[in-house]
Amino acid sequence: MPELRIAMIPGDGIGPEVSEASRRLLHHVAGAVPGLIFEIEEWPWNAEYYLEHGRTMPPIGLALLEEFDAVFLGAIGDPRVPDHISLRELIFAIRQGFDQYVNLRPVRLLNGVTSPLAGRGTSDFHMTFVRENSEGEYSGMGEFRNVGEEDEAALQTSVFTRRGVERIMRYAFDLARAKRLPLQSVSKANAL
């Protein structure tokens, strides 16, 4: 088994707590698999970093992350930093900089956990969300006009390239085919 280098960005709010629990879990997994080693390096890119430096990460941030096998990104967001800054300068920068176009979110009921889905068990519920992660509503294209004036406006543009649409649809169709599950298409326009 190889040594896997992980860049951990704990982030804000509950991010550091969740990241620390995840770090312990990774070390537990590594202890159970002979030869598996996780080398985790933490980067303090969060609201505090932004408030101190005026940016969410250093100009060479992506180059630093490129040296790792994976990026573990905790919760990002703090009321002291406008959402568009956290999104565009950190989250979108990482997603688009590394072309992370698939956001894969499997959802399952867990044994022993009471669910609001009354009368359903683990074998009744199996869903995976495949979300386009780097364009569409997540392209980060937009601007503010006439800030602070009566006619202040926010403009947001979704970008859908043929390549982007084809590759995420192909990924979703291939996954549904492999798991023999039905496929639905749903908009994520609330991200605007």
Side-chain angles (χ1 to χ4, degrees):
M1 280 292 216
E3 178 177 308
L4 299 173
R5 297 187 66 227
I6 299 174
M8 183 175 277
I9 305 171
D12 303 298
I14 65 167
E17 180 182 348
V18 171
S19 296
E20 185 52 37
S22 300
R23 178 195 306 265
R24 288 193 313 267
L25 176 64
L26 288 173
H27 288 308
H28 179 75
V29 168
V33 178
L36 178 60
I37 298 171
F38 291 111
E39 179 189 323
I40 300 171
E41 189 170 333
E42 195 169 300
W43 299 93
W45 303 336
N46 57 14
E48 294 299 332
Y49 186 93
Y50 176 81
L51 294 171
E52 183 177 336
H53 300 281
R55 58 180 30 152
T56 59
M57 65 177 157
I60 61 167
L62 292 182
L64 293 170
L65 296 178
E66 193 171 38
E67 300 300 316
F68 291 84
D69 298 302
V71 176
F72 184 103
L73 184 61
I76 301 295
D78 183 300
R80 299 173 296 164
V81 178
D83 282 345
H84 71 280
I85 291 173
S86 300
L87 283 170
R88 291 182 181 178
E89 294 183 18
L90 187 62
I91 299 171
F92 289 174
I94 292 171
R95 288 178 183 174
Q96 293 167 356
F98 294 117
D99 199 23
Q100 296 175 330
Y101 69 96
V102 174
N103 183 323
L104 192 64
R105 297 181 179 194
V107 180
R108 290 175 184 79
L109 293 178
L110 300 175
N111 284 321
V113 176
T114 304
S115 165
L117 300 172
R120 300 292 182 188
T122 56
S123 63
D124 298 319
F125 189 80
H126 185 311
M127 185 181 296
T128 301
F129 292 91
V130 177
R131 188 178 84 187
E132 210 298 324
N133 206 40
S134 60
E135 60 177 55
E137 286 80 7
Y138 298 100
S139 65
M141 303 290 290
E143 63 182 288
F144 296 102
R145 291 193 178 166
N146 306 322
V147 176
E149 298 179 22
E150 187 176 304
D151 61 343
E152 181 174 358
L155 305 178
Q156 179 66 48
T157 302
S158 293
V159 176
F160 297 94
T161 65
R162 180 181 187 124
R163 176 179 175 256
V165 171
E166 283 182 351
R167 70 183 180 176
I168 197 67
M169 289 176 65
R170 186 170 315 284
Y171 186 95
F173 272 94
D174 289 347
L175 184 65
R177 184 180 303 117
K179 294 182 178 269
R180 297 177 183 226
L181 293 171
L183 184 66
Q184 292 278 327
S185 176
V186 181
S187 170
K188 182 70 170 124
N190 70 315
L192 297 173

